């Protein structure tokens, strides 16, 4: 969610104290829509990234999939080879 805030924040607010407030407001708005947000602990993400030799970005997706008992749908073949138990191709997902 922080990516949404940073990418869509007006230039005037970048680097300002309003950032935490903007993130909190977005969180309230998303939850108000009935959506459930999930997060993965930083330590779990870093350990998974190190163990699988993947980026922290990819490790966060994989950690969330693991926590939720799901698989990441990806066409990233190297990621699929490194984490076949946590990934599947789009074709496999559509065939399921």
């Amino acid at each position: 969610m922080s990516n949404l805030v940073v990418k869509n924040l007006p230039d005037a607010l970048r680097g300002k104290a309003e950032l935490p407030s903007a993130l909190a407001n977005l969180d309230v708005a998303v939850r108000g829509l009935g959506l459930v947000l999930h997060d993965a602990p930083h330590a779990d993400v870093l350990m998974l990234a190190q163990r699988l030799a993947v980026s922290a970005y990819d490790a966060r997706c994989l950690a969330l999939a693991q926590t939720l008992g799901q698989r990441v749908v990806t066409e990233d073949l190297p990621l699929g080879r490194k984490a076949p138990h946590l990934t599947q191709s789009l074709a496999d997902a559509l065939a399921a």
Side-chain angles (χ1 to χ4, degrees):
M1 177 145 30
S2 53
N3 282 346
L4 287 173
V5 172
V6 170
K7 288 182 180 182
N8 295 297
L9 199 64
D11 287 337
L13 292 179
R14 291 187 192 280
K16 304 284 183 178
E18 290 88 352
L19 280 174
S21 175
L23 186 56
N25 290 340
L26 181 58
D27 183 61
V28 169
V30 167
R31 291 178 193 279
L33 294 173
L35 300 175
V36 178
L37 302 177
H38 298 279
D39 197 8
H42 297 300
D44 293 350
V45 170
L46 293 175
M47 288 176 20
L48 193 58
Q50 184 178 26
R51 184 167 52 87
L52 297 176
V54 299
S55 70
Y57 177 86
D58 286 343
R60 184 161 306 280
C61 294
L62 295 171
L64 285 171
Q66 191 171 37
T67 298
L68 297 172
Q70 301 295 319
R71 296 170 78 190
V72 174
V73 176
T74 181
E75 294 301 312
D76 183 333
L77 296 178
L79 180 61
R81 283 191 291 272
K82 291 177 180 182
H85 60 295
L86 293 172
T87 62
Q88 64 181 334
S89 70
L90 179 58
D92 289 344
L94 292 173

